[in-house]
Amino acid sequence: MPASVPENVTNMFETMIPASVVFVIFMAVRVGCSYTAYGTAQNLIYGLLQAPLTSIGGGWWGAFLYLILGCVLWLFGIHGSMLMYVAMGTIANAMWAENMVAFGNGLPAPHPEWLYMYFVNMGGSGATFGLVILMAFLAKSQHLKTLGKVALPTSIFNINEPVIFGTPIVMNITMAIPFLAAPTVNFLLTTLVNTMGFAVPTGAMQNNYYPVGILGMFAAGNWTGLVWSIVLILIDLVIYYPFFKIYDDKKVKEEQELAAELEDDLLLD
């Protein structure tokens, strides 16, 4: 525009031209889609992308990968839960939406496996509530005992960053094994008992930060969710115990060696 044209008029034209181009392009897409069997761009995207992705990743295996890959990422210090939601959010949201529609109509959840998270990851990713109990009440090392007592209140509400980074579980091959094994066993066993009609999720979405056990009860809509949560915690205790014992003994030895070094330094001084 010539220099004599006021700046506000110039700015209007500068925005009008790209806006008009965008409008024309999307109008062409809209008209083009109307000549297809899909009718609209939304139906086209759903038919070509959403539906195939949902059929591949929306079942039992998709729910399992969603949960377990989140745990794998945590082992490298990456927020696995958030990253998996970014990667599979379109599939997960579709499954959760169908479950909620069924719940609203008084029908069983068509995809209950996508609600197993309320039982699988008690204490947070990796089902670490059992580990925190072991640390708080059975640890001999000061490191793990103190961490267990500090982390117990947050673990009750399924927040376990203090455990993941304080133990640490990140880049820790000893604790990585039960960190993956516990949620895997929880998922498989929950699948089994659900086929028997026990502790079946209603389809309603829950707040992940309800206390352990209470969350399971709300998810199932009755007392069976609480009972099954307690059973899984006991199983997780068994899974974590041998690895916890190995790591706790290692930490005790490290603390003894550090104490001996400090004592030697004091004697030299």
Side-chain angles (χ1 to χ4, degrees):
M1 302 291 288
S4 59
V5 177
E7 184 179 356
N8 61 327
V9 177
T10 301
N11 292 339
M12 181 182 66
F13 279 97
E14 287 178 350
T15 56
M16 183 184 300
I17 294 173
S20 299
V21 172
V22 171
F23 176 80
V24 170
I25 291 174
F26 277 86
M27 182 59 71
V29 171
R30 182 179 184 278
V31 173
C33 289
S34 68
Y35 288 101
T36 68
Y38 294 101
T40 65
Q42 290 86 346
N43 290 337
L44 178 66
I45 294 171
Y46 182 85
L48 296 181
L49 295 176
Q50 181 70 35
L53 287 174
T54 300
S55 63
I56 294 172
W60 187 92
W61 279 106
F64 177 72
L65 289 176
Y66 182 88
L67 290 166
I68 204 66
L69 289 179
C71 295
V72 171
L73 291 169
W74 270 118
L75 294 175
F76 296 94
I78 301 170
H79 199 303
S81 305
M82 290 298 174
L83 189 59
M84 287 309 300
Y85 182 76
V86 171
M88 297 182 66
T90 54
I91 296 174
N93 285 331
M95 299 297 100
W96 293 331
E98 290 183 23
N99 284 335
M100 287 190 287
V101 169
F103 174 73
N105 291 314
L107 300 173
H111 310 288
E113 64 275 4
W114 282 89
L115 301 171
Y116 289 174
M117 68 190 83
Y118 302 132
F119 301 105
V120 171
N121 282 331
M122 286 179 293
S125 296
T128 54
F129 189 67
L131 174 62
V132 172
I133 292 174
L134 292 172
M135 290 194 298
F137 298 102
L138 296 182
K140 295 180 180 178
S141 68
Q142 288 301 312
H143 176 183
L144 296 184
K145 181 177 286 294
T146 302
L147 177 61
K149 292 178 180 178
V150 170
L152 185 58
T154 60
S155 293
I156 292 175
F157 294 93
N158 302 300
I159 299 170
N160 67 344
E161 280 83 352
V163 179
I164 290 177
F165 295 105
T167 305
I169 290 176
V170 175
M171 305 300 288
N172 185 335
I173 189 61
T174 301
M175 300 308 300
I177 298 172
F179 189 78
L180 297 178
T184 299
V185 171
N186 290 352
F187 193 90
L188 295 176
L189 292 178
T190 300
T191 301
L192 178 62
V193 299
N194 272 206
T195 60
M196 302 176 183
F198 189 81
V200 181
T202 62
M205 294 294 290
Q206 307 296 328
N207 187 327
N208 290 327
Y209 303 108
Y210 284 136
V212 169
I214 302 299
L215 176 59
M217 183 173 67
F218 286 167
N222 54 52
W223 60 270
T224 59
L226 174 61
V227 172
W228 184 237
S229 297
I230 295 172
V231 171
L232 289 179
I233 290 171
L234 295 175
I235 293 172
D236 294 341
L237 285 169
V238 174
I239 293 173
Y240 268 105
Y241 181 76
F243 301 94
F244 155 77
K245 190 71 172 65
I246 292 172
Y247 192 64
D248 187 42
D249 290 342
K250 177 183 176 183
K251 298 301 291 185
V252 168
K253 184 177 179 181
E254 290 177 356
E255 289 173 359
Q256 290 174 343
E257 291 175 351
L258 179 59
E261 290 178 4
L262 292 174
E263 185 177 352
D264 291 341
D265 289 343
L266 290 174
L267 290 174
L268 290 174
D269 290 342

